[in-house]
Amino acid sequence: MPDTATISIIANGKSYQVQPGSTIPDFLSRLQLAPYRVVVEHNHQALTPAEMKKQALQDGDNLEIVKVVAGG
């Protein structure tokens, strides 16, 4: 029986269980990723940092997370 206290999302092809009402920054924190160091695509749509801050995760959401690397 599925745990009704969590929702299921996919991030970079891997399944995760998160608490209902979790935001993308909450999830990034769980992965030990700083929101300002990544670009996030939510359900095939790239998000701005402002959009990412307020985006609550829903059951079945799909995230692609790419680390930003600076260099020269």
Side-chain angles (χ1 to χ4, degrees):
M1 174 178 354
D3 184 355
T4 57
T6 62
I7 59 173
S8 180
I9 65 166
I10 304 291
N12 293 0
K14 185 176 176 187
S15 181
Y16 292 89
Q17 298 297 312
V18 298
Q19 297 299 313
S22 294
T23 62
I24 291 176
D26 294 335
F27 181 67
L28 294 174
S29 176
R30 174 179 164 178
L31 298 179
Q32 299 180 341
L33 295 171
Y36 61 89
R37 304 281 288 165
V38 298
V39 174
V40 177
E41 186 178 272
H42 175 254
N43 296 330
H44 308 290
Q45 182 166 2
L47 299 178
T48 67
E51 291 170 329
M52 183 172 43
K53 286 180 185 177
K54 57 187 175 187
Q55 182 63 55
L57 294 169
Q58 303 293 320
D59 193 49
D61 278 353
N62 190 329
L63 302 177
E64 288 296 325
I65 304 165
V66 179
K67 293 180 188 176
V68 177
V69 179

